[in-house]
Amino acid sequence: MLKKIIIPLLLIVFILSSFCTSVMGQKTIQHAFARDHINLNGSWKYIIDPYQMGYLDYRQKPFDQSKSGKGGFYDNITSPDKKTRVEYNFDFEPSLQVPGDWNSQDQKLLFYEGTVWYKRDFVADPQANKNYFLYFAAVNYESHVYLNGEKVGTHKGGFTPFQFDVTSKLKKGNNYVVVMVDNVRKKDEVPTINTDWWNYGGITRDVLLVTTPKSFIEDYKMQLAKNDPTKLEGFVKLNGNTNKEKLVIEIPELNIKSTLETDANGYAKIIIPTKKIDYWSPENPKLYDVKISSKSDKINDKIGFRTIKTVGKDILLNDRSLFLKGISVHDENPLVGGRLRSEGDMRMILGWAKQLGCNYIRLAHYTHNETMLRLADEIGLLVWAEVPVYWTISWSNPDTYKNAEDQLTVAIERDKNRASVIIWSVGNETPVSKERNVFMGKLIDKVRSLDDSRLVAAALEIERNGYDVTVEDPLGDKLDLASFNEYGGWYWSEPKELPKYKWEIKFNKPVVISEFGADALAGYHADEDTVWSEEHQQLFYEKQLEMLDKIDGLRGMTPWILVDFKSPRRQNPVYQNFWNRKGLISETGVKKKAFYTLQNYYQRKSLNNK
Ligand code: GCB
């Protein structure tokens, strides 16, 4: 009797626990793109499946959790015998390009929120002495991944990478991978149902089949020590070897060749004294070639070294005071109205920020493409990186917290070697409450436990009373910056009134305005009091900057936003048409008048800064 109960119970626990551990994927490999890999980008067949016919039976039970595990679209039956009834066929379907969202590739999918199945064939020649990982740089939002008809894992979160070990499932010759992607918004997810950006669905970033030796360099970190810029600190982590093993770290330009030994967990700490480092900065984005080798593996990276800290109201980069001339950016290519897909797309956006005179960008409101951060390193732009803890998410739900923390952890793990990243932001415009303060407070502690070499911030909100504006969110006590969004002159008051406002900021910390902005339709000209006109947006910028310049401790800003972006919330049929028009550049790449107002201000700041 006992057996009858215990065995099924154990089975359920086993199934549940293996499902849960796969929800966030496995720990991702550092610098996946530099590994041996087969690139799985390109054309993928797709099936639109709003009722999840390929996933659930008519009693809503997932096929992949049934006894046989069969019945779903992942079986990929394309040429059934004459007695087999099959109601799908990938081979007769059109294709989507990966990387890329589905909304911008098929008119039917512009507003679609639901399930789409992707399928791609590829050829492999697996070797016995290698590991194989299916690596996804990002899929929005929930994905179920199958290789040759077998499930390899599930993942939630639309902007961070994940991978699955497929070593035992990969075949010599033809293979096929099927991914079910579901972008339905849900209240308890991160982000939650309400955002001001397009809910682009699909396999939005690269897919790789990564090959490693059995024992491989899984992760590494190298940065200047927090309080000692003459020392490189970090670690290397091997996977697959529990014996002590020698590792070599080389930075030829600094004459560094250092030998380390891993412990029983494959972990080795890096402490390398060094002199004469050419510090990384926006004016001098110096990157060093770093080579790490173990007995069976090696990896190269380009890493810059710099320090960042705050002292009172000052931000010091390499011990020099700095003003952050920034702009906010979404991960979107306005010219196609979809997610950024290529390095060229990203260079276009960053190039525009450089033309504006920026030394800094806010990558809002979620984790951007790894390539974006690598380009920021290369061309010299400081970065505020953020997780999609946006507006009002489910503060009291422990699963929501876990999800937010996981997304934050993966983002930090992925980008911890990027000199450009100086700020981790734990969220945007989250309303003060006991539960929210606890939730956000824990995220801040988490960041500090993972990375003590950068600043921690959040885009807070302000309070208003007549012409008095105060910043006193209690979370500010735990953060390194007094950073907040404010929409004076657009959602409240009007541009000409702005210089009358008095600011009181409770924190003795550098003030960095994370957002302000006003809509304008490019090419619409009127007098400066007419909203939606370029003249009005220009006046708005002039008055904003006049007001903000009077704030004691002002050390930077990221106005909202570089380029117009798509949003379902923006419905004015004449001026918006589902575009948030706060861009300084239009969706066709035209610079509005306010672009030049801000450019001019940043030029003046540069002169004063010297
Ligand atoms: C905000 C949000 C941003 C919106 C912006 C707006 O405060 O942080 O995501 O897009 O305002 O345009 O209203």
Side-chain angles (χ1 to χ4, degrees), residues 196-197 330 365 390-391 428-429 485 487 491 515 519 560 565 570 580 582:
D196 186 24
W197 67 80
H330 260 302
H365 284 298
Y390 183 90
W391 289 350
N428 179 74
E429 288 184 358
N485 299 352
Y487 277 88
Y491 292 126
E515 277 179 39
D519 286 55
W560 193 253
F565 61 97
R570 306 299 166 176
N580 183 315
K582 293 189 187 68

Side-chain angles (χ1 to χ4, degrees), residues 83-119:
K83 289 188 176 168
T84 308
R85 177 190 53 81
V86 184
E87 296 189 57
Y88 68 92
N89 192 328
F90 279 103
D91 285 355
F92 292 93
E93 298 283 356
S95 300
L96 285 169
Q97 287 303 306
V98 170
D101 58 277
W102 64 52
N103 315 66
S104 62
Q105 297 190 56
D106 176 348
Q107 191 54 35
K108 282 201 295 293
L109 296 176
L110 179 63
F111 286 93
Y112 184 66
E113 300 194 326
T115 291
V116 172
W117 291 83
Y118 284 73
K119 194 212 80 167

